[in-house]
Amino acid sequence: MMGVEPENTLRSFVAAQQAGLDVIELDLHLSKDGALVVMHDTDVDRTTDGSGPIAEKTLAELRALDAGKGERVPVFEEVLEAVTAPLQAEIKDVAAARALAEVMQRRDLVSRVEVSSFHDEAIAEIARLLPGVRTALIGSRYGLDIVERAVEAGAETVCLNIRRLTLEVVEEARKADLRIIGWVVNTQDHLRLVRALQLDGATTDYPEIKRTGRFTA
């Protein structure tokens, strides 16, 4: 939703749900005092009026920042209350995996939340802590190795940079019974590629693309 509303804010998640998107993607980091905060970058500079790493700020300090249009930096559980749609939660490291596993176990979220990460060890850790959790390995600069890595980490899905996606990678992923999501699909050309390769879905910043396909945001 970053193309329409301030990214990773409650406002953007509500707008994504109202647009009828199938799954809402969000990014999780740990604050200095261990809160699961929703933000994409490791620091607050790009998306708020503050500066510095998230990991060096307490939740109270993060709450005082403007994340765009007067929105605050949300915590994960606020998003759970604000929307009812299924979520894909991206974690940045093993520490975030452990914190997320605790919330998901306590609130019985295994069926509602899929967990994704660029980091194999974070995927493996949440799978160990939460049997039955659905996981997705994300690849930006990848080759055929992404398929083997996903299988070893126990992921059911690979989320792959659409600009690097090849038929060969798709075929290898299918042989391994992996679902394939393309990101970021913001143009009609990329949408046509998603369909030509028969992917299982795509991540987009623009919910209006939903009119021509069923996607996550």
Side-chain angles (χ1 to χ4, degrees):
M1 287 297 295
M2 61 192 288
V4 180
E5 296 286 359
E7 66 179 81
N8 276 306
T9 61
L10 292 181
R11 181 183 182 125
S12 71
F13 300 133
V14 170
Q17 177 164 287
Q18 288 174 344
L21 295 174
D22 303 312
V23 181
I24 297 171
E25 192 265 352
L26 51 83
D27 306 282
L28 296 175
H29 289 269
L30 288 180
S31 66
K32 186 177 182 179
D33 45 354
L36 268 177
V37 295
V38 183
M39 191 176 291
H40 181 274
D41 301 354
T42 55
D43 57 53
V44 302
D45 300 55
R46 181 178 63 86
T47 56
T48 78
D49 59 350
S51 64
I54 296 169
E56 294 178 7
K57 297 183 184 298
T58 64
L59 179 58
E61 289 170 331
L62 291 166
R63 292 295 223 183
L65 302 176
D66 183 347
K69 297 184 181 178
E71 288 287 300
R72 295 191 307 177
V73 175
V75 295
F76 178 58
E77 296 203 45
E78 284 181 319
V79 180
L80 294 171
E81 301 296 337
V83 297
T84 57
L87 303 175
Q88 185 187 82
E90 182 187 332
I91 49 176
K92 306 299 182 178
D93 54 34
V94 170
R98 291 173 184 150
L100 178 58
E102 189 277 322
V103 174
M104 288 181 64
Q105 199 160 36
R106 174 162 45 84
R107 298 189 58 146
D108 191 24
L109 297 172
V110 170
S111 62
R112 181 180 173 195
V113 179
E114 179 181 52
V115 181
S116 66
S117 184
F118 282 94
H119 305 291
D120 308 43
E121 63 274 14
I123 291 294
E125 178 71 357
I126 197 143
R128 183 183 71 79
L129 294 169
L130 275 180
V133 68
R134 291 169 296 123
T135 56
L137 181 65
I138 310 171
S140 180
R141 296 179 176 275
Y142 59 88
L144 287 176
D145 63 302
I146 193 75
V147 173
E148 184 179 347
R149 286 172 51 204
V151 171
E152 286 183 3
E156 296 92 346
T157 299
V158 282
C159 297
L160 302 177
N161 180 352
I162 196 78
R163 295 177 182 274
R164 294 180 67 92
L165 191 55
T166 65
L167 181 58
E168 188 179 20
V169 170
V170 170
E171 288 174 342
E172 286 300 307
R174 293 302 186 204
K175 286 178 193 171
D177 293 324
L178 294 170
R179 294 176 69 249
I180 309 166
I181 304 294
W183 63 268
V184 174
V185 177
N186 287 341
T187 69
Q188 289 300 316
D189 282 346
H190 285 152
L191 179 57
R192 280 190 283 272
L193 184 58
V194 167
R195 289 179 161 166
L197 292 173
Q198 298 183 316
L199 304 189
D200 297 286
T203 303
T204 184
D205 295 323
Y206 296 97
E208 61 268 23
I209 210 167
K210 176 71 159 54
R211 288 197 300 268
T212 51
R214 297 186 65 79
F215 296 123
T216 66

